[in-house]
């Protein structure tokens, strides 16, 4: 199987420590991170992905906001530059341990974080990265 992710969620999975928008969201995210950790590939999608699923029931879910779309573009640009490939819908990635470690180093150094500006979770993610990713699920 393949995990469908929007670009900015490639960053979110690095620092997930069990917190989230709701219990359903955090449980779903833990399952998805488990699948990635078990070796499932990722395919980049445009718009809501498997992580967004528990948030799509409400009126005007944040997954469709312009700020989230802008985060996707920024993350796609940063990660695409890092990997030297265009990160666009349909791009497939294998997130093995070496890739995850590279993403973590670049995230902690601030080089792939332009998508994080204005995100409510930025302080938590910064703390997790600065501490060396203790308790991160991936």
């Amino acid at each position: 199987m393949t995990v469908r992710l929007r670009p900015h969620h490639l960053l979110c999975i690095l620092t997930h420590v069990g917190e989230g928008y709701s219990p359903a969201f955090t449980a779903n995210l833990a399952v998805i991170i488990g699948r990635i950790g078990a070796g499932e590939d990722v395919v980049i999608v445009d718009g809501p992905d498997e992580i967004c699923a528990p948030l799509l029931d409400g009126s005007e879910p944040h997954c469709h906001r312009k700020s989230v779309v802008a985060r996707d573009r920024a993350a796609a640009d940063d990660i695409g530059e890092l990997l030297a490939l265009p990160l666009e819908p349909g791009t497939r990635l294998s997130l093995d341990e070496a890739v995850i470690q590279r993403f973590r180093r670049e995230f902690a150094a601030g080089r792939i974080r332009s998508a994080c500006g204005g995100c409510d979770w930025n302080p938590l993610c910064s703390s997790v990265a600065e501490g060396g990713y203790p308790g991160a699920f991936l």
Side-chain angles (χ1 to χ4, degrees):
M1 291 189 59
T2 302
V3 177
R4 299 172 62 250
L5 287 186
R6 61 189 318 158
H8 85 266
H9 282 157
L10 288 168
L11 304 174
C12 300
I13 63 174
L14 299 173
T15 59
H16 180 64
V17 291
E19 295 188 37
Y21 297 102
S22 69
F25 177 86
T26 55
N28 181 57
L29 183 50
V31 168
I32 291 167
I33 289 173
R35 290 172 52 198
I36 294 168
E40 284 191 43
D41 284 346
V42 167
V43 65
I44 300 302
V45 298
D46 186 23
D49 62 9
E50 292 182 50
I51 290 175
C52 296
L55 301 175
L56 295 174
D57 292 339
S59 65
E60 299 183 35
H62 92 277
C63 304
H64 294 292
R65 292 182 189 159
K66 289 180 185 178
S67 62
V68 177
V69 173
R71 276 193 193 94
D72 283 336
R73 183 74 266 141
D77 290 347
D78 286 352
I79 296 168
E81 184 176 325
L82 175 68
L83 298 176
L85 62 91
L87 200 65
E88 54 194 26
T91 301
R92 290 189 171 281
L93 301 172
S94 178
L95 302 182
D96 62 21
E97 186 62 27
V99 171
I100 295 298
Q101 290 304 320
R102 185 174 181 199
F103 282 5
R104 283 181 173 170
R105 280 191 307 275
E106 298 299 312
F107 186 89
R111 290 187 282 267
I112 58 171
R113 300 218 34 202
S114 62
C116 303
C119 176
D120 293 340
W121 297 100
N122 193 15
L124 173 64
C125 296
S126 294
S127 175
V128 171
E130 289 167 6
Y133 300 92
F137 284 34
L138 184 65

